[in-house]
Amino acid sequence: MNRDDLIDFVYDEAAAIDQMRWNDWLALYHKDGRYWMPLEWQQEDPILQPSLMYEDRLLLTVRVERLTGERTFSQKPKSRCHHLMERPRILSMGEDDGVYKLRTSFIYTETRGDLLERFSGWVSHELVEVDGALQIMLKRIDLINFDAPFSNIQLFI
Amino acid sequence: MDRYRGNSQAIAELVKGHAVHRDVYVDKEIFELEMEQLFPNSWIYIGHESQLKNTGDFITSKIGNQPVLASRHRDGQVYVLHNRCPHKGVKIASEACGNTGKFFRCPYHAWSFKTDGSLLAIPLKKGYEGTGFDTDQAAKGLKRIENVKIYRGLIFVRLAEEGLSFEEFFGDALSTIDNMADRSPEGELEVISQPIRYMHTCNWKMLVENQTDTCHPMVAHESSAGTAVSVWEREKDNFTETPMAVQLYAPFMSPYEFYEGAGIRVWPNGHGHTGVSGSIHQDYEDVDGYQDMMVEAYGKERAAEILGDIRHNTIYFPNIMVKGPVGILRNFIPLGVDKTLVESWVFKLKGAPDKLYERGLMYNRFINAPTSIVGHDDLEMYERAQEGLLSNGNEWVNLRRLWEDDEPEETTEVVNGTSERQMRNQFYAWRKFMVQNMDKAVEAAE
Ligand code: FES
Ligand SMILES: [Fe+2]
């Protein structure tokens, strides 16, 4: 993988979410991959410290299927979202452990009905190569105001 | 024009037992009266003693809309103080928690206060000489709240000078807190992290009522728990064991019959709980080594009794809910008639395996977070109710399920688990504490 491949991957992942291509999005995750939203500043432990989300593919699948369910009333009307991202910084080309690491500054917007909410922060990707393609081992979202009381966040940052 | 202030009869008429008038959820004056009457007359949870380990530690909180702080003084005691400078009203502590050292110092003009609230020093004190300052309330420092009770580490306060004692107010309802703390082999709970916070655009009482609303999970949460069950059914062959996550979600889809049999217990003063003889928390996998620790600490019989009590949600009227088996406390903090901040805390059981804390944290983020799909289901219902109630087509909310004529209001009783009895129980107490001493206050003013 070269640097452009890694950077493109981060943008393409966000595009899959913005375009609500949920199955394409899930397919980007490694079978042991995780989506993590910490609740503390520079949090280290997702298990014994509280998080907003720490989910594996099974749980992400539940979320994605729920979004299109006939009786998912919190999606009537449906939410939409938009990622505005700075160019990802490559922190590691995985020389030692085969894990590519990137960090990207973002502004995320989620809207539903007449409401619109904005979130800012950094997304960190840990990517591995499987059969010639990149997969997400860990996607970590650190909001600048992780400790503020939000209303619903129903889609994915 | 005031419709309700000073008019205890008009307030009482909002509660008919099998129905309540929509003004309890949408009327601004009623909300103000809740802040003036209901919250001060009740015992309100403000935090846990383990958040105040060292001298100078403090936490801030609110009772209704009034800012308070609690601090650990050098005499070892916890003092609860009005969080407002006696000079010009500036909040003394602005953070959720911290350590202030030996004293609090107001950031505006540097008046300082000991951690028991008493006035320590004022710069350029001579400016007050001969002014009669010592007769001012300000000379006493931060006003102290006298009615404070720490029970199993949980700190409760009553703002009103007169009222029911802590024991009278909660009575047997304290058994859920006991059970939660007894689940620690050391009998102690600990707060070691921040709560999950979730903003709700609805009246605080909708959240409280929902905690014992056993006829909604299989309907409103079909989208979340139902999808979790169906995805699991499809995928389970790829797993060797049932993940903790599935164990937590799946019971939400239990049928009506399950909840009917599980029962609801009501207590006087608006307290009550679901899950008397069964609950959604009953079938979690055993945690390695925990059983043995409990037997060691309590003996076989007592340990079995503690762990066999799997109560679902316990309402401590007016605005907290406790879940013993997962060690969670939810605080429904009213910010406005249609705005409520929910802070959900997970207690760590001292001396118990980490796995239990892991489960509590997982439950909390699955159910009580702004990113929780179960939370999304519920908030959608509250928001729709808050809007729907503005319709003049019907001014009453119906609470008649399993209602009986002459339903006793101040009693302990176990009833069918799908009853709306606990919601009615809360409103009987709501009426009682809303109008308590109101007529006296009106007479005094006349
Ligand atoms: S307002 Fe606190 S010292 Fe003046
Ligand atoms: Fe619910």
Side-chain angles (χ1 to χ4, degrees):
Chain A
M1 293 290 156
N2 64 36
R3 297 175 68 88
D4 278 348
D5 293 333
L6 297 174
I7 290 170
D8 285 349
F9 182 91
V10 170
Y11 282 127
D12 289 345
E13 193 235 354
I17 299 174
D18 286 353
Q19 293 164 16
M20 303 198 193
R21 290 184 281 111
W22 300 127
N23 290 332
D24 292 350
W25 180 63
L26 281 177
L28 299 176
Y29 277 76
H30 187 272
K31 66 176 179 29
D32 299 319
R34 293 283 191 286
Y35 179 102
W36 183 22
M37 281 176 81
L39 194 65
E40 293 184 13
W41 180 242
Q42 299 184 336
Q43 185 170 333
E44 281 169 15
D45 186 347
I47 306 283
L48 293 176
Q49 285 180 284
S51 298
L52 287 166
M53 275 176 73
Y54 184 62
E55 308 215 335
D56 58 12
R57 270 187 68 150
L58 183 75
L59 292 172
L60 293 176
T61 305
V62 171
R63 282 183 184 266
V64 160
E65 293 196 12
R66 174 184 177 276
L67 285 174
T68 51
E70 182 50 38
R71 290 186 175 156
T72 303
F73 303 108
S74 76
Q75 282 299 302
K76 293 170 189 245
K78 289 212 171 301
S79 303
R80 287 189 298 275
C81 67
H82 176 258
H83 288 76
L84 182 64
M85 299 161 80
E86 198 179 62
R87 182 173 182 273
R89 288 170 56 218
I90 297 173
L91 305 180
S92 168
M93 289 297 288
E95 293 87 350
D96 301 330
D97 54 2
V99 182
Y100 302 100
K101 296 192 176 121
L102 297 96
R103 187 167 158 97
T104 312
S105 199
F106 69 82
I107 295 175
Y108 171 80
T109 309
E110 191 171 303
T111 177
R112 179 174 172 246
D114 297 341
L115 295 178
L116 181 143
E117 309 240 32
R118 287 234 160 84
F119 303 87
S120 296
W122 304 268
V123 53
S124 306
H125 283 84
E126 293 187 11
L127 308 174
V128 293
E129 200 177 322
V130 180
D131 299 333
L134 287 168
Q135 292 191 337
I136 300 172
M137 279 309 294
L138 181 68
K139 178 178 178 181
R140 167 180 174 145
I141 295 108
D142 285 279
L143 296 175
I144 50 168
N145 58 342
F146 50 88
D147 51 357
F150 306 116
S151 187
N152 286 349
I153 302 173
Q154 296 203 58
L155 302 180
F156 305 92
I157 296 181
Chain B
M1 201 189 77
D2 286 356
R3 275 190 297 163
Y4 294 112
R5 182 171 278 101
N7 188 349
S8 55
Q9 196 185 332
I11 293 172
E13 282 169 4
L14 297 173
V15 177
K16 281 203 230 166
H18 55 73
V20 291
H21 192 271
R22 55 111 181 253
D23 277 4
V24 307
Y25 307 101
V26 303
D27 187 85
K28 287 207 174 72
E29 191 191 0
I30 287 290
F31 180 80
E32 284 166 20
L33 288 167
E34 287 178 338
M35 299 303 104
E36 292 169 28
Q37 291 281 131
L38 177 72
F39 278 77
N41 285 334
S42 305
W43 285 86
I44 304 297
Y45 177 77
I46 61 161
H48 193 266
E49 206 181 5
S50 59
Q51 297 169 273
L52 302 167
K53 281 207 175 78
N54 304 309
T55 306
D57 283 354
F58 69 86
I59 53 171
T60 58
S61 186
K62 288 213 280 187
I63 299 170
N65 55 2
Q66 302 190 44
V68 299
L69 68 88
S71 70
R72 177 80 67 180
H73 191 51
R74 56 169 188 210
D75 63 2
Q77 282 220 62
V78 170
Y79 290 88
V80 183
L81 310 166
H82 284 271
N83 188 4
R84 77 76 98 189
C85 181
H87 182 208
K88 299 192 78 178
V90 167
K91 262 168 74 175
I92 294 296
S94 61
E95 288 171 293
C97 60
N99 185 290
T100 190
K102 287 204 169 63
F103 57 88
F104 290 105
R105 181 177 182 272
C106 179
Y108 203 178
H109 312 95
W111 290 25
S112 58
F113 312 91
K114 294 182 196 160
T115 45
D116 65 355
S118 55
L119 184 64
L120 180 63
I122 297 179
L124 205 61
K125 184 89 189 264
K126 63 179 187 224
Y128 292 100
E129 277 167 23
T131 63
F133 177 74
D134 22 330
T135 62
D136 288 348
Q137 196 190 336
K140 297 208 184 81
L142 302 173
K143 190 172 160 66
R144 195 183 288 169
I145 297 159
E146 300 296 341
N147 298 298
V148 177
K149 174 76 184 185
I150 302 181
Y151 188 83
R152 306 293 302 250
L154 284 74
I155 309 169
F156 291 88
V157 305
R158 193 192 71 217
L159 272 186
E161 277 162 26
E162 286 171 41
L164 294 186
S165 71
F166 177 82
E167 289 75 14
E168 288 169 326
F169 186 77
F170 286 124
D172 291 340
L174 293 170
S175 53
T176 296
I177 293 176
D178 284 331
N179 179 258
M180 179 164 67
D182 288 343
R183 285 169 176 269
S184 148
E186 298 171 22
E188 272 185 56
L189 302 167
E190 205 177 3
V191 170
I192 59 164
S193 58
Q194 293 305 307
I196 289 183
R197 308 173 80 210
Y198 191 178
M199 194 62 84
H200 283 60
T201 44
C202 68
N203 188 269
W204 63 278
K205 295 188 292 301
M206 290 183 186
L207 280 139
V208 181
E209 282 167 48
N210 183 256
Q211 308 306 307
T212 63
D213 185 328
T214 55
C215 288
H216 91 281
M218 64 296 276
V219 182
H221 299 309
E222 184 184 335
S223 96
S224 49
T227 304
V229 169
S230 65
V231 169
W232 173 244
E233 285 302 321
R234 199 179 64 218
E235 305 279 336
K236 69 180 173 196
D237 293 342
N238 303 323
F239 289 76
T240 50
E241 50 188 57
T242 310
M244 189 186 273
V246 174
Q247 295 177 42
L248 297 183
Y249 273 130
F252 276 74
M253 290 310 285
S254 305
Y256 291 111
E257 299 71 39
F258 171 82
Y259 288 103
E260 283 192 299
I264 285 179
R265 180 182 283 121
V266 294
W267 289 294
N269 297 324
H271 319 299
H273 77 95
T274 47
V276 178
S277 51
S279 88
I280 64 165
H281 303 305
Q282 71 192 12
D283 290 328
Y284 300 155
E285 210 163 75
D286 283 345
V287 167
D288 274 352
Y290 177 50
Q291 195 86 20
D292 295 343
M293 283 177 177
M294 290 295 282
V295 170
E296 172 113 1
Y298 294 101
K300 210 170 166 196
E301 210 173 304
R302 178 71 189 126
E305 196 175 74
I306 294 166
L307 298 177
D309 193 340
I310 36 66
R311 297 176 189 194
H312 181 193
N313 292 341
T314 300
I315 297 298
Y316 286 90
F317 184 84
N319 70 324
I320 63 166
M321 184 278 279
V322 170
K323 260 182 192 302
V326 284
I328 287 176
L329 183 151
R330 302 186 76 198
N331 193 358
F332 307 109
I333 303 168
L335 301 183
V337 68
D338 56 1
K339 197 166 183 193
T340 306
L341 168 61
V342 186
E343 292 190 341
S344 301
W345 299 81
V346 183
F347 291 111
K348 189 169 183 342
L349 301 173
K350 264 199 185 168
D354 281 346
K355 201 83 187 161
L356 289 165
Y357 190 53
E358 176 185 341
R359 183 155 71 197
L361 291 172
M362 184 185 272
Y363 190 94
N364 210 29
R365 66 175 183 264
F366 280 1
I367 314 299
N368 301 331
T371 39
S372 147
I373 52 180
V374 170
H376 299 159
D377 294 336
D378 281 326
L379 178 51
E380 179 69 14
M381 299 306 124
Y382 309 143
E383 285 178 340
R384 290 194 193 190
Q386 197 70 35
E387 288 184 26
L389 286 173
L390 297 177
S391 156
N392 290 337
N394 177 357
E395 295 187 4
W396 294 87
V397 166
N398 191 295
L399 296 178
R400 203 186 279 273
R401 182 179 284 280
L402 294 170
W403 183 76
E404 284 171 37
D405 232 340
D406 295 327
E407 184 166 273
E409 296 192 9
E410 296 271 4
T411 189
T412 299
E413 202 177 333
V414 174
V415 298
N416 180 307
T418 55
S419 174
E420 286 167 341
R421 175 73 177 271
Q422 171 54 20
M423 303 178 203
R424 299 192 288 270
N425 192 39
Q426 281 155 208
F427 276 109
Y428 300 139
W430 182 87
R431 185 176 59 197
K432 171 175 166 180
F433 295 105
M434 277 292 272
V435 305
Q436 192 177 67
N437 296 329
M438 187 181 262
D439 295 337
K440 245 201 255 169
V442 172
E443 278 161 31
E446 273 164 8

